[in-house]
Amino acid sequence: MKSSERKVALTFTLKLADDAGKILIQQSQKLFNKPLKLIHKGSAGLASEADLKSEELVIRRIKKKYPGHEILAEEDSYVRKLKIQGPDDPTQLTWLIDPLDGTNNFLNGLPFFCVSLALVKGTEVQVGVVHNPLLNETFYATRGGGAYLRRRLGGKYQTKKLRAPVVSQPLKDALISTNLGSSRHNATLIRKFPEVRAFRRLGSAALELSYVAAGILDAYWEYKLQPWDIGAGGLICQEAGVPISDLAGQTFNPYVPSVLAARSPLYDDLLQILTTV
Ligand code: LIP
């Protein structure tokens, strides 16, 4: 993909994420007074009217602008019972769509959720946008073009380039987000984990990765994720220069369901702990 094509795709994706975010705000207003219709997806969790409406807009716009591209969207893939795997063709262009990442937060009224959109060639993410409509914060990146955070605060727009912080802060001072405590983590890991400043469990993989890229969190890892959870946030980390891989230390690939992102040199310490405990 040419850099000019990535730029066009980025402009399109930023607008799309913003419009999908407006749907989430409307749905959040509706949720204030009455519950939304829910879909129970078993082990795949919950979805709501908000997820469906946001996803419907995103798919419709992508199909119109890029009719030749593949689409892998969270709710649609559940309905179509798609087997989630990477493409055989390394040149295939696929959109990874999470119309509402942090559904549980959203439904409980916890204001930490986003729209996460990524365009991937083969298994290599080309464009990624993570938009938090409540905070008006958008993290975005293009392959080779850097990662950025744009926000609107008090009516003023600010944009900054994200660069991996080089701080030799020890693990005991790190602020880490992970789903420690869920059944996906074994009890031994929790018991044996060295002292850290604090653990968080924020509930939106896309935002958590973006927060590591921005230096807001020192590290994030999680197991059993889906490509639409980590595609955009993964590229944002890579472009910010933050080390990211799967939990076996292999190069980041959105189709591999585990992820570890941490600023250097914590990344090495954490990988060591997570692969040996
Ligand atoms: C969720 C993630 C969350 C993770 C869940 C789920 P959803 O995405 O971002 O952090 O723990 O497994 O995938 O379902 O809210 O879009």
Side-chain angles (χ1 to χ4, degrees):
M1 212 179 175
K2 290 187 203 137
S3 122
S4 56
E5 291 169 329
R6 285 194 285 265
K7 272 189 197 149
V8 171
L10 175 66
T11 307
F12 166 77
T13 313
L14 284 169
K15 169 85 173 88
L16 187 52
D18 196 52
D19 290 345
K22 286 181 185 140
I23 292 182
L24 298 185
I25 298 287
Q26 284 161 11
Q27 291 291 314
S28 185
Q29 286 160 347
K30 192 170 164 191
L31 179 66
F32 191 71
N33 292 314
K34 60 172 189 173
L36 299 181
K37 284 187 205 108
L38 295 183
I39 298 130
H40 295 268
K41 301 189 288 183
S43 62
L46 275 177
S48 70
E49 265 177 273
D51 302 64
L52 297 180
K53 287 201 157 73
S54 168
E55 185 171 293
E56 188 272 320
L57 173 92
V58 173
I59 293 182
R60 181 161 37 83
R61 294 251 191 103
I62 291 175
K63 280 188 170 163
K64 190 165 176 217
K65 171 105 178 147
Y66 294 107
H69 291 187
E70 293 292 323
I71 288 178
L72 190 56
E74 180 170 16
E75 309 315 331
D76 175 62
S77 69
Y78 173 73
V79 172
R80 294 201 284 143
K81 299 191 177 14
L82 289 185
K83 192 166 172 233
I84 309 301
Q85 57 184 27
D88 296 329
D89 175 2
T91 64
Q92 183 180 299
L93 290 163
T94 306
W95 289 86
L96 303 178
I97 301 168
D98 195 335
L100 169 45
D101 186 49
T103 302
N104 282 291
N105 286 348
F106 175 89
L107 291 172
N108 275 41
L110 190 64
F112 192 77
F113 55 83
C114 66
V115 179
S116 175
L117 306 175
L119 173 59
V120 190
K121 182 178 175 192
T123 58
E124 216 179 51
V125 187
Q126 304 294 310
V127 176
V129 172
V130 173
H131 173 60
N132 177 337
L134 282 181
L135 287 181
N136 265 307
E137 279 189 341
T138 310
F139 301 85
Y140 59 93
T142 51
R143 177 156 297 274
Y148 296 84
L149 164 58
R150 183 183 69 187
R151 70 171 189 182
R152 201 181 74 219
L153 189 64
K156 189 178 169 188
Y157 276 100
Q158 295 176 296
T159 302
K160 70 174 172 187
K161 192 167 195 308
L162 302 178
R163 287 187 189 85
V166 185
V167 192
S168 55
Q169 187 196 39
L171 188 57
K172 73 172 181 45
D173 292 331
L175 184 63
I176 295 177
S177 187
T178 182
N179 64 347
L180 206 60
S182 87
S183 58
R184 295 172 196 170
H185 279 282
N186 61 46
T188 316
L189 178 65
I190 299 173
R191 227 178 23 248
K192 292 197 174 165
F193 211 89
E195 184 189 347
V196 300
R197 174 151 59 106
F199 275 115
R200 300 281 183 267
R201 198 294 190 234
L202 300 179
S204 163
L207 280 174
E208 286 163 292
L209 286 171
S210 301
Y211 275 27
V212 178
I216 299 167
L217 289 171
D218 295 307
Y220 166 70
W221 77 84
E222 195 163 340
Y223 301 87
K224 294 196 183 167
L225 292 164
Q226 299 287 358
W228 47 78
D229 294 320
I230 56 178
L235 178 67
I236 292 163
C237 283
Q238 286 181 317
E239 287 297 321
V242 167
I244 178 168
S245 67
D246 69 8
L247 279 156
Q250 300 299 309
T251 309
F252 171 70
N253 172 347
Y255 293 95
V256 175
S258 72
V259 74
L260 165 65
R263 58 178 182 67
S264 216
L266 287 184
Y267 170 86
D268 293 323
D269 299 344
L270 287 167
L271 187 62
Q272 164 82 10
I273 296 165
L274 294 166
T275 49
T276 49
V277 173

